Amino acid sequence: MPIIRAAEAPQFDLPGAQFTVLAAPSLGSEGLCTWRLRLAAGPRDDAPHTLDRDEIFMVLSGTVQITPGGEKLGAGDAAVVPAGEPIQVRNLGDSDAEIHVAITAGFTGTMADGTTVQPPWAK
């Protein structure tokens, strides 16, 4: 049974966002990817993207919006974004927000410019 220690979990940083990988094929999970997403307070300059699988967002702290024009979510709330629906995660609060994210392994994303990618936290 693979164990992923918090201090040793792979991390990936984008402007205003940090991804801490908790499960992925590279960490022994064939069917599921999960990560903790920390969003810094303040606006982020990112365009909506879509995924080819359903993605589940579980808010641990803060106030966020998951889809363009979507509802405001707070700690304890969850959202299921169906495959193909635009995703644009925003921190609406004045402090960092944390979200736990889950999706089936092997997913790919399509960026606003049409580029298809598989993020490193999915491998």
Side-chain angles (χ1 to χ4, degrees):
M1 171 177 65
I3 303 292
I4 296 86
R5 304 278 180 203
E8 299 165 0
Q11 290 187 346
F12 300 92
D13 294 309
L14 295 175
Q18 181 182 64
F19 299 78
T20 303
V21 183
L22 303 171
S26 62
L27 298 173
S29 175
E30 291 182 30
L32 185 66
C33 293
T34 65
W35 58 89
R36 187 176 60 244
L37 173 59
R38 181 183 298 272
L39 296 173
R44 294 181 58 224
D45 186 25
D46 63 328
H49 64 280
T50 60
L51 298 177
D52 64 348
R53 316 276 173 92
D54 295 351
E55 187 173 28
I56 297 90
F57 295 84
M58 297 154 279
V59 183
L60 302 174
S61 65
T63 304
V64 299
Q65 183 180 45
I66 304 298
T67 59
E71 293 189 41
K72 182 163 71 168
L73 303 173
D77 292 340
V80 177
V81 180
E85 187 171 322
I87 299 167
Q88 187 176 33
V89 182
R90 299 212 178 267
N91 181 348
L92 302 177
D94 295 329
S95 59
D96 288 358
E98 276 197 337
I99 305 166
H100 191 95
V101 183
I103 190 169
T104 54
F107 73 92
T108 58
T110 302
M111 308 312 289
D113 66 2
T115 304
T116 301
V117 298
Q118 187 173 59
W121 49 89
K123 301 176 184 177

